[in-house]
Structures are given as C-alpha cells and as structure tokens.
C-alpha cells in the first residue's frame, strides 16, 4: 500500500522556485483547468461527487454535495477558500500555500467555474505574513498570464480572486464565522439554517472550502474520479496531508492515503521518523487538539474519517498530530488546551464563553498545584453541558473544547489524581481564599 | 420639566482632533471598494492599512474609517476590538509574537518567552522604553513543525532556543522576510505625530 504511494499534493515541495508560475506549469500545472473549462460546471461537480472528496478542514463533509446545495436559479455565487488554519498543531495549509500557491489557484479556478462563482475570496489568517506575500505574488502572476480576471484562459468565463486577510481569531475558521469576517464584522458564527450555500457572504449563495480540499480538485480533474476514489479506504478517499509535531525526529507535513495509523505517522522513516532519543510517547492528539487525546496504548488508530470515533474522539479533524512525551506533565497539557479555547471563544453563546473560561481557570488551578479531586468532575460536568451536541451552541467550537478536556480527564485520571494528592498541604486553601 | 436634549450627532471622539489618516491612506482604502459588495466588508482591509500607516489603530483613525465606509463608529470599534491583531494602542517598532500553543509549549516555548522577557526587561503586552520592541503571545502560529516559534513583525523565527534569543534580538534585519513582499496592504508610511503635524499641502 503506502510503499507505492506517490505524493500528489506535495509533489512540488522541495522543487527549486516551486512558487513560480513557470516552474508550476513545467511540472504539468494548469493542465487540469484547461481541461475543466471545456466541460460543463455540472460535469465537474458530478466528477467531484463521484470522487467522494470529503472536506479536509475538519468536518469531512463531501465537497461535491456541498456544491450541490447551491440553489439552481441563483444569479450570483461566491467562493470562499478557508485558509484560516488556526487549529494547533496544524500547518498543512501553510505548506500548500507557501510551497505550491499555483496549485491552490488552479483549484480555485476550477471550483469557481464549477459553482459559477465570479468572485473567489481566499481567507488568510492574519498571522500568515510570508504566506500572504507568496500567495499574492502568485495571484498577480496568474492575472498577468490571463488565468484570472476577465475571460479566463481566453474563454467566456471571468473570475476575480482576492485575498481577504483575517486578524487573529480561531473562530473565523468556522465557515459562517469566516463569512461574517469577510463582511467586516466580528467573526461570530451564524445560526444555521440558512446554510451558506443558500445565504452566505452578502446574503449570496456561497461555497466555503478548505485550502487542502481545493488543492485536491485539479488532481481529480486530471486523473479522474476513479483514481481519487481508489486511493485509501472506501469512505476516506484520496491523498491526505498529515502533520506531525512534538519530540519526534522529523516533524513535518507528509502525504499519504488515509489508511495509516498514528503509530506509522510517528515511526515510519518517511514520516515522523520515530521519537527523539530517550523520549517515549505519553499521549498523542491525532487530529488537532480539539479532537481529543489518545494514550500510548491507542496508537493503532487509523487516521481516516471513521476510526477516531471508536477511540472516543470527535473525528479526524485536521489530521495534525502532536506527540506529548513521557516527561511532560499532563496538567500543563490540560491547562494549555483549556486556555486556547478559553481565549478563542467568540463569546456569543453563554455556556461556551463562560464554560471555556471556567475550564481554563480550573485547569490553571490544577496546573499550579492547587487542584482538588472534585475539580476533575467539575471539568467533566462543564464539558458535558456545552456544545452543539447537546444542542446548546451555534457553532462547533465548544465541542472542540470539550473533547480534549473530557478525554484528558478520563484517560489520564489516575495521573491527575496522583498529582493532586501529591500537592503540598495548604495550596488549595490559599488558592481558594485568593479567589473569594 | 423638559428633558435635556443630548446632541448625539456630533462625534465626541476626535471632534477637534487633527485628521489621523492622510489622503494617500484614504485612497488606498478606497482601492478595496470594488472588491466587495458592501463598504462594511472593506473594514478588515482598511484596518490593516491604517495599522500599517500609524503602527496602531487609534480612536481618531477608527472614527475616520467609519466616515469613509459610511458606518457608525461603534461598528468599527466593535470589529476592531474583536480581533487580536488590531492594536488600539501604540506598539514598538518591532512586535515579537511568541507562540504559546501546545506544540511550542511542550517543545520549550515558555523558556524562550522567559529569556526574551529577561533580555528586554519587559512583560507581555509591554513595550521597551526605547520603543524598539513590544512583546505579546499568540495562539498557534501554524509553525508547529519548527516549534518553538515566534514572529518578529512579519518574519517567522523557527526552532528558537533560549540561547539564540540574544543573537536574534541583536540582528537589525530580524524582521525582514526572505520572500518578495506584496504592497497590497501597505500604506504610505506616516510616522505618527510627525506626519500628522506636517503642514497642509499648498
């Protein structure tokens, strides 16, 4: 299987001057879009549906089906590309944008043509500076070459492509939060329905796709839906980028079919390359922190769209793994994750705003050596009472906040309890009196 | 008795202040108008341009942006205060943003942050007395494969060790990126008060 895997999305990474239009074209770039523009938009949508391209941003919703929700009698359609990659520890979109921006642009043109969008906004997070300059330069090049703008490739179709820069907000990665942010508002997600396909940016039918999803599209057109659907397991088709970070020998972004396990991602020579000397795995967040944690005994989990649920995780997420080594105190991890969601909650749903902040305070107390055993139950209780799954919130951010907290507390409970019991006397009392 | 009528039409902030934004900056903001259907959508790019021009987004600038985009100033303040990368107060010439998310923390980020604090003698959200550096932390900068990482203005510094900090801070080009820059969001440089007090043309 994986031995014969040939990288597709990352094929230009490592090539000299890979961001230049000339280099991209010399390696077969912009062939797929020429082919696509000869087909009808409906044919391309069918092809993407047949390939079963599931969204790479985290939720795994099939891209072709999403396009199919657009009302047939619409006059204006907008395409948004979600490059707000903010989930720790994910950086696959960054690699795609800084190493192969023309692959993304080619995907944008095909996706926009398939949805009949005349404007495409690429939403780039505010912290991506170098990536912005690289991508903007590539867009300028494409305009000069006549690949973007009026009469794309000399045909009848016209497309404007703009970068919209965010300014530091995790919640703008949620598709309706992203839409609000493009409209110049706070990135507070909207209540759905109406879904963006019906009412998105400026109340127009809008498609929001992740950078990696869009980057897959030229390859589906060029190699065919059968090829794409034949890579990897049945419900998790196509090449996928996996990130690995933490104390491994070769942290980085690797491409594979979705039949690898977490263990392979860490240990294979052409991937993580094993743990650094004298380091041992204690825990792994396999899909970005919001999906939850695995213990060292659970590394045989398959990195596809279905298996993570069997391990108590929310899903595959962004398929970015961070390894926590044996010497790291799990209380530090708990505090870090709780702080992330505490600071990134947009604040419009009460139980998310208050719940994430509350969990952060409790986790800080535990990490500072002033925790109580019952704090662990308070964390679990808080976690159970927020999020979309109990139907209490507008977006999925609080679900992403509860899964890591819940899985850390459940899977590492004995370690947390031992640490709390080993605290010096009097810490809890002084911490509590400081609060009151 | 009659209620005292309050004049809510006259802006309170900056009523007698000199304009913060030069004509060149306004023109730059207007150049984004044809990209979006509404003027409100130009707000994020406009604030990026303003921050590039002034180094931060002042109250006066927000009022002027509001007028330019035909919005109530409260809408501008509402949006600007939501995003962490818009600064409503002046910052140093270089802003150091240290990543504090999970990978960077377990790979030794806190030690790097502590070393920077020690070297510069400032804490988070503070600026050195000479105005050279401001320090802040931010959630994941998407540089996890090179953790711990930090930004100095636009430049990403990767795999930073506490021992490297002194060398990085001493380098005058530590905020220069290797790629060719795009000037899409760059504003014609105005250096705060000096630019504002320049005599009007003609």
């Amino acid at each position: 299987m994986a031995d014969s895997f040939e990288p597709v999305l990352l094929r230009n990474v490592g090539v000299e001057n890979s961001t230049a239009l000339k280099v991209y074209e010399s390696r077969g770039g912009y062939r797929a879009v020429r082919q696509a523009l000869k087909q009808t938009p409906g044919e391309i949508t069918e092809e993407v549906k047949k390939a079963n391209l599931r969204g790479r941003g985290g939720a795994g919703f099939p891209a072709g089906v999403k396009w199919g929700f657009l009302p047939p009698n619409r006059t204006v359609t907008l395409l948004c590309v979600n490059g707000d990659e903010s989930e720790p520890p994910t950086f696959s979109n960054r690699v795609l944008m800084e190493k192969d921006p023309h692959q993304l642009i080619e995907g944008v043109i095909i996706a926009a043509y398939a949805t009949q969008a005349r404007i495409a906004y690429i939403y780039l997070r505010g912290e991506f500076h170098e990536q912005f300059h690289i991508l903007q330069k590539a867009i300028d090049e494409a305009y000069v070459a006549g690949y973007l703008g009026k009469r794309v490739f000399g045909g009848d179709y016209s497309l404007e492509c703009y970068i919209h820069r965010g300014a530091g907000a995790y919640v703008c990665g949620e598709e309706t939060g992203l839409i609000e942010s493009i409209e110049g508002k706070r990135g507070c997600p909207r209540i759905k329905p109406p879904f963006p396909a019906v009412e998105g940016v400026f109340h127009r039918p809008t498609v929001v796709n992740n950078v990696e999803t869009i980057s897959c599209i030229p390859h589906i057109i060029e190699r065919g839906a059968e090829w794409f659907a034949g890579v990897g397991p049945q419900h998790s088709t196509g090449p996928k980028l996996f990130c690995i970070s933490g104390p491994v020998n070769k942290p980085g972004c690797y491409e594979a079919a979705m039949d690898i396990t977490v263990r392979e991602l860490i240990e294979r020579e052409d991937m993580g390359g094993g743990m650094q000397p004298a380091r041992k795995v204690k825990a792994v967040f396999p899909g970005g922190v919001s999906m939850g944690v695995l213990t060292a005994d659970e590394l045989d989990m398959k990195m596809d769209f279905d298996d993570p649920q069997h391990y108590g995780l929310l899903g595959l997420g962004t398929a970015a793994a961070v390894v926590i080594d044996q010497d790291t105190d799990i209380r530090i991890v708990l505090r870090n994750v709780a702080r992330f969601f505490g600071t990134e909650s947009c604040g419009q749903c009460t139980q998310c705003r208050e719940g994430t902040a509350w969990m952060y305070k409790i986790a800080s107390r535990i990490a500072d050596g002033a925790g109580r055993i019952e704090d662990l139950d308070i964390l679990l209780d808080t976690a159970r009472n927020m999020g979309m799954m109990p139907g209490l919130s507008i977006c999925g951010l609080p679900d992403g906040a509860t899964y890591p907290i819940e899985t850390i507390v459940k899977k590492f409970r004995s370690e947390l309890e031992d640490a709390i019991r080993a605290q010096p006397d009097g810490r809890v009392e002084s911490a509590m009196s400081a609060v009151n | 008795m009659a209620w005292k009528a309050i004049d809510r039409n006259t802006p309170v902030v900056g009523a007698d202040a000199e304009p913060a934004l030069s004509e060149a900056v306004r023109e730059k903001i207007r150049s984004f108008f044809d990209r979006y259907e509404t003027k409100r959508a130009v707000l994020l790019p406009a604030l990026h341009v303003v921050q590039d021009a002034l180094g931060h987004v002042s109250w006066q600038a927000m009022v002027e942006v509001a007028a330019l985009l035909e919005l109530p100033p409260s809408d501008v303040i509402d949006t600007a205060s939501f995003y962490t990368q818009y600064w409503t107060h002046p910052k140093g010439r270089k802003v150091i943003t240290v990543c504090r998310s999970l990978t960077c923390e377990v790979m030794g980020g806190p030690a790097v942050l502590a070393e920077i604090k020690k070297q510069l003698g400032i804490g988070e959200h503070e600026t050195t007395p000479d105005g050279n550096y401001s320090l802040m932390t931010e959630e994941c900068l998407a540089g996890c494969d090179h953790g711990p990482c930090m930004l100095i203005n636009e430049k990403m510094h990767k795999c930073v060790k506490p021992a490297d900090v002194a060398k990085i801070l001493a380098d005058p080009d530590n905020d220069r990126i290797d790629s060719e820059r795009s000037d899409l969001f760059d504003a014609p440089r105005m250096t705060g008060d000096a630019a504002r007090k320049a005599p009007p043309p003609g």
Side-chain angles (χ1 to χ4, degrees), chain A residues 73 155-156 161 169 174 236 276 300 308 348 376 382:
Chain A
N73 54 351
D156 298 329
C161 180
E174 205 275 348
S236 309
Q276 287 174 5
D300 291 318
Q348 59 175 343
L376 301 177
T382 316

Side-chain angles (χ1 to χ4, degrees), chain A residues 378-429:
Chain A
I378 298 176
L379 281 177
L380 288 179
D381 191 45
T382 316
R384 271 193 287 269
N385 283 297
M386 52 199 269
M388 260 174 124
M389 295 194 180
L392 295 168
S393 69
I394 293 173
C395 81
L397 188 143
D399 298 284
T402 58
Y403 268 78
I405 305 280
E406 225 178 317
T407 47
I408 291 172
V409 173
K410 280 183 181 160
K411 294 181 180 180
F412 293 91
R413 180 146 193 147
S414 61
E415 189 187 330
L416 284 165
E417 287 189 359
D418 290 348
I420 290 170
R421 288 208 183 87
Q423 286 165 186
D425 289 341
R427 290 295 301 273
V428 178
E429 286 69 25

Side-chain angles (χ1 to χ4, degrees), chain A residues 94 121 125 164 336 339, chain B residues 35-36 83 100 105 140 142:
Chain A
R94 189 203 81 209
Y121 296 110
R125 65 183 300 212
H164 186 91
N336 189 300
R339 193 211 37 234
Chain B
R35 294 182 163 219
Y36 303 96
Y83 297 94
R100 59 179 183 191
E105 173 148 5
C140 195

